[in-house]
Amino acid sequence: MSNKDLEVIIATDCGSTTTKAILIEKKGDTYRQTFRGEAPTTVEAPFEDVTKGVLNSITEVEELSGRKILDGERIITPNNGNVGADIYVSTSSAGGGLQMMVAGAVKAMTGESAQRCALGAGAIVMDVLASNDGRADHEKIERIRQLRPDMMLLSGGTDGGTITHVVELAQFLKAADPKPRLGASYKLPVIYAGNNKAHDQIKAILGDTTALIITENLRPSLERENLMPARHKIHDIFLEHVMQQAPGYPRLMKMVGAPIMPTPAAVGTMTEKFAKANKFNVLAVDIGGATTDVFSVFSEVFNRTVSANLGMSYSISNVMAEAGLANILRWLPFDIEEQDLRNRLKNKMIRPTTIPQTVEDLQIEHAVSREALRLAFDQHKALAVGLKGVQQERSISDAFDQTSSGASLINVMRLDYVIGSGGILAHSPRRTQSMLMMIDAYQPEGVTRMAVDSIFMMPHLGVLAQISEKAALDVFYHDCLVRMGTCLAPKGLAKEGQLIMEWEVTGSDGSRQAGELRFGDIIHVPFAAPKAKLVAKPVKGFDMGAGSGNRVEADIEGGVVGLVLDGRGRPFNLAKDPSKRRDDLNKWYKAMSMYPL
Amino acid sequence: MAHAYTPGLKVMPCTRLVKKRLLPIPGKVLAALGQQVDSLDIVAQTELPGKVFSVNVANRLSVGPEEIQGYMLKKEGEAVKQGEILAENKPFLKWFKTSVESPVSGTVESVSFITGQVLLREPPKVLPIKAYVKGKVVEVTPNFGVAIEAEGTFIQGIFGVGGETNGEIAVAVASPDEDLQPEAIKEIHKGKIVIGGRHASLATIKRAVEMGVNAIVVGGIHDRDLRELLGYDIGVAVTGNEQLGVTVIVTEGFGAIPMAEYTFKLISSRNGENASVSGATQIRAGVMRPEIIVPGFPKNVTECKKDQGRGWIEPGDPIRIIREPHFGVIGTVKSLPPELTVIGSESHARVLEVTLDGGEVIVVPRANIEVLEK
């Protein structure tokens, strides 16, 4: 079908708990999301058939829209009047998503490349094995045996180089005889993307005991990373092996008009399309109950990481364990006993569907969320390093630099746009809460626009972008993004109360706002104009992106929050004295009208 | 009549339940279809492949990997004992002789002439699976195990640590709001399932380990004590493999929370009888809660119901509030207003009205209550 024929699209995302369906219709020249429905995901007993949840969610769309989409268990195509849809597409993260184990010869080189490759394909990386990962050989073998991944990615060595390490890894893998997570009777798929000189040996070692797939080396030379061939193989195997074993997926695969994508891969695609269309550096985050996914596009290089145990319900206690209680307590504008806080967080972990009923409880969740976002961002910065992605050359010195310093591609001064999704960001009672949580976690510098994906539509749009980029971007701009506004944060440090910037904003609707920003203050200016011109004049010692003391003119966006002028300085540190820290927090929360008094 | 879906923990005087007892890898099933089994009977067994150890013979002998063939004294598949020589060189002067000994007893798994590595595998380990509950085998999965149908009192906790165990129920407190004190645990409790009331402290749990208690069941524990006990924070609720020396089950949550009276009365009614308990908890993907199963009927029960799992609540149902500011409070559903209501945090949520013991009526989000299933 040509894109011209696409008028009605039905899309679903099969999440681990909920299956969400959206209807997209072409209105004039523009695609708009018109109706949505949701139903519990039905991958687990007693249903064990993902299509049941899909059909239920589509039925809800039918009821709301009045459009007949289903004929029994079949989607009616093409659309004709008020019946049918032109295409049905879907993503899936149900049943734990795509779980992989990766291996590389040297942890910081091929190990890291293999990790980036698997993450970019939408996988959760259960472990990274490497010859030099510090574990004894028998410990590595035990680890391979314990984990039951969906597939494994084995890399190591540059083309034509030494084969010893990668052959050794293959031998360990064979000795461990790992079993796949689903379908005990089938062989574990292993993708080999290492030294091409070792193909024969790898086949001899793993050919009989695993479902071995050999592809191009993901690190053909020290200076070059070539992730796409292995990434494509991961997607192929996801569809051919993993999906075939998951309950009901063979049927779902027959229903769709385009290949099913792992949910994170689709979100990544949408982030990339948005960044490319606007020439933006973008950071997108999806903070869920169990995991936090971070996507970034900086200088056109895409990276994704998933922090598998940082989340707001199932993993809330792990956020406490990783961040430390002190780091959670520092965001609270009141005193709370350590024992009380510990018990509260554990009670949320064991009853993950409960919601905060009091403002105090809400503030505790917001404190945890800042730390989960911060930790996931730290992990992202650590992996989004050095290499300039697919088919990009770098010098040998860069390659060594990467291993030693891990210089990140992420530069918060050059960050143009932040998109947040996940319950805590998308459904906070006040939007100012979402915006300040992201500002506190990411500490953007200079000029940064911010939005939330209110109903987590990015997966649907990412898979749709494979068919029609226009449809995906239309809906993304008009229905998916809730623009919050822009954060203006001069980089530098000064004494409290000192003038650090003069600013003026003129909206496309002619509205004008201007003022001064003093160190230690936050100023919230409600400002809804979708487009505006900013003139910022930071004082000497403060940088808004054009160097210390230099005037900046920029295009910015207003939104449901407006402008947030963050005068807390960068790097931003909270006061060490508890009473001063609480006073500061109360002052900033009041300036943002964050919570009811 | 208005009702809302709210999952709750099962507290049932008598029910029929089926427990799957499966091996992680294929093995031999030892129980037959229709067979009556006791909780400690072994129903299936397999051999877990032994641990693998590696020795780089080439490095140890300072020769190239392709050369090690000439120095190996043991071949692939051959048995070796710990300390036995795997390979040695043959120098002109015996002072320069180097021998490579096996670090473990087992068999030679592989010899690589590419890496110079020799992999040794320890003997397999027998992994038996017990019936865990007394009942009848109703299904056999060839090579993997069985499903056992059992009939008895079934009580789910909210969180636990430690694995499966068995023992006689011993109620060690007089009421559900009494704390289980360390001194309440005595020598007679060795090998038993000790039932407390409101709370067990770190000292109490340590005392239980000392006395050889198999499991303790209480309303709540403090997270701080759990951390102290385990030596680490539990980040994600996937438990059951902790080696504490005792299985701990909490019925209400973290903190000092009286055990629900109905739960306490039911367990007390089975005092002195044998129970199967498990602390294994998994909150995500296939929820698993800790459990106490006592075969047979309580004295006052005449009929054993099959678990119907109603799954919703109606006015008049007893519920427990599971979030601040009323955490742990028990009440009765008064009404279920259908419209979204703005709660204290300013969120819009579906709520219910709850009548507390003293007659006071409060409004609580539906997400923050748990139905007390009976």
Side-chain angles (χ1 to χ4, degrees), chain A residues 17-93:
Chain A
T17 51
T18 314
T19 298
K20 285 156 269 182
I22 59 168
L23 184 69
I24 294 167
E25 295 174 87
K26 199 171 186 184
K27 304 274 182 195
D29 247 4
T30 312
Y31 290 90
R32 297 297 299 263
Q33 182 262 324
T34 49
F35 295 94
R36 65 189 177 102
E38 59 181 56
T41 295
T42 49
V43 168
E44 291 187 21
F47 307 102
E48 293 183 339
D49 180 355
V50 72
T51 61
K52 295 261 183 295
V54 166
L55 295 171
N56 289 343
S57 66
I58 297 176
T59 305
E60 196 171 315
V61 172
E62 279 186 319
E63 285 164 5
L64 292 169
S65 65
R67 170 175 290 275
K68 184 172 166 52
I69 302 167
L70 295 170
D71 175 15
E73 297 192 348
R74 188 182 69 86
I75 289 170
I76 304 165
T77 50
N79 118 75
N80 184 7
N82 209 21
V83 175
D86 295 315
I87 195 164
Y88 165 57
V89 290
S90 188
T91 57
S92 171
S93 59

Side-chain angles (χ1 to χ4, degrees), chain A residues 123-392:
Chain A
I124 288 172
V125 175
M126 303 164 91
D127 202 349
V128 184
L129 287 177
S131 301
N132 67 337
D133 65 12
R135 285 178 279 197
D137 296 341
H138 70 272
E139 286 173 334
K140 285 176 202 159
I141 295 167
E142 268 306 293
R143 182 72 178 150
I144 302 172
R145 210 157 73 170
Q146 280 164 7
L147 295 177
R148 294 184 74 161
D150 290 318
M151 67 178 90
M152 182 147 183
L153 174 61
L154 173 63
S155 70
T158 53
D159 280 344
T162 173
I163 64 170
T164 319
H165 295 306
V166 75
V167 167
E168 188 180 88
L169 284 169
Q171 283 166 349
F172 291 162
L173 186 54
K174 184 183 179 179
D177 190 21
K179 299 278 179 273
R181 185 169 62 108
L182 304 168
S185 55
Y186 89 117
K187 290 176 181 173
L188 179 79
V190 175
I191 299 169
Y192 176 72
N195 185 353
N196 59 5
K197 214 172 91 182
H199 285 180
D200 290 344
Q201 285 86 348
I202 298 293
K203 272 185 212 156
I205 298 166
L206 297 173
D208 291 339
T209 50
T210 66
L212 179 69
I213 297 106
I214 291 184
T215 186
E216 288 169 50
N217 193 349
L218 54 78
R219 198 75 182 260
S221 65
L222 212 53
E223 312 80 30
R224 199 174 140 229
E225 199 171 65
N226 178 28
L227 304 180
M228 278 329 254
R231 227 173 242 177
H232 285 144
K233 289 288 177 210
I234 294 171
H235 278 163
D236 291 349
I237 294 170
F238 175 69
L239 293 170
E240 289 163 20
H241 289 241
V242 184
M243 292 265 96
Q244 294 291 358
Q245 304 298 324
Y249 279 84
R251 290 178 64 199
L252 183 65
M253 286 166 78
K254 286 190 187 130
M255 287 165 69
V256 291
I260 299 168
M261 283 174 93
T263 303
V267 177
T269 303
M270 200 57 235
T271 310
E272 266 189 292
K273 300 276 182 206
F274 172 65
K276 198 175 167 195
N278 295 281
K279 296 191 170 63
F280 280 158
N281 291 321
V282 178
L283 179 72
V285 60
D286 173 28
I287 176 165
T291 63
T292 296
D293 275 51
V294 182
F295 307 83
S296 72
V297 181
F298 266 82
S299 310
E300 296 175 19
V301 179
F302 168 73
N303 270 289
R304 171 199 173 230
T305 49
V306 53
S307 301
N309 286 323
L310 293 175
M312 291 307 298
S313 59
Y314 303 104
S315 312
I316 195 166
S317 182
N318 195 56
V319 177
M320 176 184 81
E322 283 196 25
L325 262 189
N327 275 330
I328 292 172
L329 285 165
R330 68 186 172 142
W331 298 110
L332 294 176
F334 51 83
D335 266 334
I336 183 168
E337 286 278 326
E338 180 188 324
Q339 180 160 292
D340 185 12
L341 182 61
R342 276 184 164 277
N343 286 342
R344 281 189 196 217
L345 296 181
K346 276 288 190 302
N347 281 323
K348 169 86 178 184
M349 173 187 82
I350 58 175
R351 291 180 170 107
T353 54
T354 59
I355 58 172
Q357 188 177 354
T358 62
V359 173
E360 188 186 86
D361 231 16
L362 182 71
Q363 288 180 325
I364 291 173
E365 290 211 356
H366 286 173
V368 177
S369 139
R370 285 175 173 92
E371 288 303 304
L373 292 170
R374 177 182 67 83
L375 290 169
F377 189 44
D378 283 349
Q379 290 176 7
H380 187 79
K381 284 190 281 191
L383 201 73
V385 290
L387 280 173
K388 292 189 179 121
V390 182
Q391 310 286 0
Q392 195 93 21

